[in-house]
Amino acid sequence: MEFRLQNYAIADTANLLTPALLIYPEIVEANIAATVRLAGGDPNRWRPHIKTVKSAAVLARLAAHGVLNFKCSTTLELLLACHSGAADVVFAFSLVGANARRAVEIANDYPNTRVSVLIETPDMIPFWTERNVGMFIDVNPGMDRTGVSQDRVEQVVQLAQAAGEGFRGLHYYDGHVHATDYSEREKQAHEGYDHLMRIVNRLAELGVPVGEVITSGTPAAPCAMTYPGFRNSTFLHRISPGTVVFCDLNSLKQLPGFGYAPAALVLATVISKPTANVITCDAGHK
């Protein structure tokens, strides 16, 4: 679907309360289909982050396309995914304290959904092991937000060995790779994946199986799909863009030509014209 203004026309706005969030279901469908195509036509290779969705109706449409595996950031998002019939949900960062305990409660309430978390230190491994929660090691690709540095291969190996049967794989969120020039973005992403594969290969040398490798938010997703090391691999590779479902204008600029269009808009009413070149809307934007 192309981004055309006529696709967003509303027949009658006189009786609509504003500000209002408008969701265009046919564009949501087109964006989901576009991402499945991006994932090589295999919905199992897409693990969308649902932080920008948070809608049971949209999760149902993802499921209809065969997308049943997700990432989340909060226990409320986990609850939504489990209640919507998700097969597998991974937290996008490490959990401690009350959040960890609540995640376990939800996992126990929904035994048909496999719940996993990220780890970057050995502290929480006994807690998750005792409660049969899966563990992915969070590898820091240079974004320096969370995780173990991609250069600390042996530290990752030690964590995987300590996690034992609970070790499911590696999480590698390269959200900092978003160069405007696609060829440069792809080059940067592939250099990062070379680091990641050194970890995978070291684990293989030691007989530690890697079940899944999760990479790539929206900007790097197509780069991951062209990386040779993820083809015909012994592990399952999944990309994890979530913004593409509703597709903001920034995502549209990052992924031109893939068939995306914004599916969520805010309808506002002009409430004031304080000067000749300024209007004020009830959505707060000037």
Side-chain angles (χ1 to χ4, degrees):
M1 175 174 289
E2 295 182 11
F3 180 29
R4 296 178 178 176
L5 290 178
Q6 56 264 40
N7 293 335
Y8 301 95
I10 301 175
D12 180 16
T13 59
N15 296 314
L16 291 179
L17 299 175
T18 58
L21 177 64
L22 307 181
I23 305 295
Y24 292 80
E26 69 281 3
I27 303 180
V28 170
E29 290 285 331
N31 288 343
I32 293 173
T35 311
V36 172
R37 289 194 302 271
L38 173 61
D42 183 359
N44 193 45
R45 289 197 66 182
W46 183 22
R47 185 189 280 279
H49 199 313
I50 65 171
K51 63 183 178 182
T52 54
V53 177
K54 292 186 176 71
S55 164
V58 175
L59 291 184
R61 296 316 307 155
L62 285 162
H65 285 262
V67 181
L68 297 170
N69 306 285
F70 303 98
K71 280 168 55 174
C72 71
S73 288
T74 69
T75 54
L76 283 175
E77 291 170 7
L78 173 64
L79 184 60
L80 170 64
C82 291
H83 189 68
S84 299
D88 191 300
V89 186
V90 177
F91 269 92
F93 50 79
S94 301
L95 295 180
V96 295
N99 287 330
R101 294 190 294 272
R102 179 58 180 146
V104 171
E105 290 174 354
I106 296 171
N108 289 339
D109 288 340
Y110 292 89
N112 292 329
T113 300
R114 189 174 189 184
V115 176
S116 299
V117 296
L118 301 190
I119 60 170
E120 56 184 79
T121 65
D123 307 16
M124 289 292 290
I125 289 177
F127 178 88
W128 299 123
T129 300
E130 291 172 7
R131 289 156 181 82
N132 196 31
V133 173
M135 288 168 274
F136 284 78
I137 297 174
D138 189 15
V139 179
N140 177 6
M143 191 174 182
D144 294 336
R145 186 174 68 178
T146 62
V148 182
S149 171
Q150 61 187 4
D151 298 319
R152 296 183 177 180
V153 177
E154 294 307 315
Q155 185 176 342
V156 175
V157 168
Q158 291 168 9
L159 282 173
Q161 292 173 327
E165 294 183 0
F167 172 63
R168 292 194 57 196
L170 304 173
H171 176 267
Y172 190 87
Y173 178 63
D174 46 346
H176 62 304
V177 177
H178 50 68
T180 302
D181 180 76
Y182 178 76
S183 60
E184 178 60 26
R185 192 191 321 166
E186 185 179 56
K187 177 177 178 290
Q188 292 175 1
H190 286 196
E191 288 174 351
Y193 303 146
D194 288 342
H195 282 277
L196 182 59
M197 288 304 298
R198 281 193 278 275
I199 297 173
V200 172
N201 293 335
R202 178 59 177 155
L203 288 167
E205 288 175 5
L206 297 173
V208 181
V210 178
E212 180 178 345
V213 171
I214 306 168
T215 70
S216 315
T218 298
C223 308
M225 297 306 300
T226 63
Y227 182 66
F230 295 153
R231 299 174 191 162
N232 303 315
S233 59
T234 58
F235 54 83
L236 173 62
H237 168 253
R238 287 184 170 129
I239 55 175
S240 56
T243 310
V244 289
V245 175
F246 288 154
C247 188
D248 60 7
L249 289 177
N250 194 45
S251 299
L252 192 65
K253 288 190 294 184
Q254 292 165 339
L255 299 178
F258 284 90
Y260 291 109
L265 279 69
V266 175
L267 179 67
T269 300
V270 175
I271 59 172
S272 180
K273 298 179 182 179
T275 68
N277 298 313
V278 174
I279 62 172
T280 300
C281 301
D282 60 359
H285 183 68
K286 295 184 177 64

